[in-house]
Amino acid sequence: MAASPLFGLWSNYRPRKEPLIISIFISVAANCLYAYVHVPASHNKYYMLIARGLVGFGAGNVAVVRSYIAGATSLQERTSSMANTSTCQALGFILGPVFQTCFALIGEKGVTWDAIKLQINMYTAPVLLGAFLGILNIILILAVLREHRVDDSGRPCKSINFEAANTEEVQISQGNIDQVAVVATNVLFFVVLFIFALFETILTPLTMDMYAWTQEQAVLYNGIILAALGVEAVIVFTGVKFLSRMIGERAVLLGGFLVIWAGFFILLPWGNQFPNIQWKDLHNNSIPNTTFGEIIIGLWKSSREDHNELPTGCPIEQAWCLYTPVIHMAQFFTSAVFIGMGYPACNVMSYTLYSKLLGPKPQGIYMGWLTASGSGARILGPVFISHVYSYLGPRWAFSLVCGIVLLTVTLLGVVYKRLIAFSIRYGRIQESPS
């Protein structure tokens, strides 16, 4: 969140290779620090925090990537190019856990390279792979990437940033950007990332509470579910490239939000079946002060069978477990499919429309703010859902999410006509029928 605007501003005034190489180098150095976090005699946890913080800082280069694509493509090419980039990102989300699982075969001990004090085990192998891929990326940037910029019609521009722009190009770039549309799109993107972050966060506690899964089962099954959603996202990214040509990006964005709303609405609990209650390791003074107290105590006494197994089910400390119906498995999987369909469509359409309404001038700083808003959503989403879910339960949590999505759809309806390309707004390019 902090790095995105900085790298974006940097890319506006200097060749984009510079922030890309520096940001990737920071990530490589951070991964190497993580691999050597066992070496210091003390304060290891602080070195680990520094390493993870630097990885997050290096990830701010997403703004530079998106601004490069925005500047290197015409309006007709933009949606397809953004979707292709998102497809690669989704493939990374799919393959990452696969590599992590394979590295688990190395074990905790692994092998040690004494000469350089390097331990290669299931914990360090992923970051070492990340460092290797980062170095490979730097080599590819130096060898392959070239500075390139075209206007919205696809005609090559002489300059790639503000500093080198001549008077004629500055005049072409002049025009008031619709700041209302800019702010609205940032809000839309925030909500998109907010919703998926909270869905990703709630998966494990929800499935453990509703279906009495163990921690191991929750990690395994939810990992499979997220991988399947990644595959679904790749399919959706491919589909929206063609769908947006027929009905337009704004319609796809609106449809994506409605599909997300349907997904969370389906998750609302209903019926007369209740989740299994986690009674084990319960003490009398931890029982909520409810009218069911005596019944609870009786059930608790009759259910303490095996003290060796970890308790499963909905924890009695969450009082809503006693009166909230279970979310059926069919509900859960249907909801996951809907959310997995709506999220990628909204994601790619948000920053595609954003790049188009900004116009021909370099977009680094604006893309930085967009990426920062998404990062902020990934911070606040888990905090929001974990507190609401723990204290009020899924009915309140998912009802509030449905309300947030409806408010977002209302905002989209208000600014719908303003979400048009800069060049179309000023009559330099005719808007397509869609």
Side-chain angles (χ1 to χ4, degrees), residues 277-280 282 287 292-305 316 322:
I277 303 299
Q278 184 185 122
W279 304 100
K280 295 191 175 184
L282 180 68
I287 299 173
F292 302 102
E294 294 180 2
I295 299 175
I296 293 170
I297 294 173
L299 289 172
W300 168 57
K301 289 179 178 178
S302 64
S303 65
R304 295 180 63 85
E305 299 170 352
I316 190 62
L322 300 172

Side-chain angles (χ1 to χ4, degrees), residues 163-346:
E163 190 178 70
N166 58 33
T167 305
E168 181 184 357
E169 288 185 355
V170 169
Q171 291 175 347
I172 292 174
S173 298
Q174 287 302 315
N176 295 323
I177 295 174
D178 190 341
Q179 297 296 339
V180 173
V182 167
V183 173
T185 310
N186 273 277
V187 174
L188 295 174
F189 191 69
F190 176 90
V191 174
V192 172
L193 271 293
F194 181 86
I195 287 171
F196 191 76
L198 62 85
F199 178 74
E200 204 174 32
T201 302
I202 205 61
L203 271 183
T204 297
L206 179 68
T207 51
M208 291 178 68
D209 292 347
M210 293 291 141
Y211 313 124
W213 287 356
T214 64
Q215 292 182 359
E216 291 77 10
Q217 288 174 322
V219 170
L220 173 62
Y221 298 154
N222 289 324
I224 295 172
I225 290 169
L226 288 174
L229 292 181
V231 175
E232 183 184 10
V234 172
I235 297 172
V236 172
F237 285 136
T238 304
V240 295
K241 292 193 292 186
F242 303 101
L243 187 61
S244 63
R245 293 174 190 168
M246 297 189 303
I247 64 175
E249 288 95 350
R250 293 176 296 179
V252 174
L253 180 60
L254 177 60
F257 274 116
L258 293 176
V259 170
I260 290 174
W261 179 87
F264 279 100
F265 184 80
I266 290 170
L267 267 182
L268 293 175
W270 56 274
N272 297 318
Q273 182 181 347
F274 295 89
N276 295 329
I277 303 299
Q278 184 185 122
W279 304 100
K280 295 191 175 184
D281 297 329
L282 180 68
H283 303 288
N284 288 338
N285 59 8
S286 68
I287 299 173
N289 184 19
T290 68
T291 57
F292 302 102
E294 294 180 2
I295 299 175
I296 293 170
I297 294 173
L299 289 172
W300 168 57
K301 289 179 178 178
S302 64
S303 65
R304 295 180 63 85
E305 299 170 352
D306 186 358
H307 298 274
N308 296 322
E309 295 181 5
L310 289 174
T312 59
C314 202
I316 190 62
E317 290 82 3
Q318 297 176 164
W320 55 262
C321 294
L322 300 172
Y323 54 80
T324 302
V326 71
I327 297 173
H328 298 280
M329 193 75 75
Q331 281 180 268
F332 174 69
F333 284 119
T334 304
S335 171
V337 170
F338 273 60
I339 294 170
M341 185 186 305
Y343 164 72
C346 291

Side-chain angles (χ1 to χ4, degrees), residues 20-21 24 130-143:
L20 285 174
I21 291 173
I24 296 172
F132 170 76
L133 292 176
I135 294 171
L136 183 61
N137 267 338
I138 292 174
I139 295 172
L140 288 173
I141 290 171
L142 291 171

Side-chain angles (χ1 to χ4, degrees), residues 32-46:
C32 291
L33 174 59
Y34 186 93
Y36 279 95
V37 79
H38 64 281
V39 174
S42 62
H43 306 299
N44 307 75
K45 61 184 178 183
Y46 299 113

Side-chain angles (χ1 to χ4, degrees), residues 66 81-91 237 344 347-348 351:
R66 288 173 180 163
S81 298
M82 290 290 192
N84 289 340
T85 305
S86 296
T87 301
C88 293
Q89 190 175 22
L91 287 173
F237 285 136
N347 186 29
V348 68
Y351 53 76

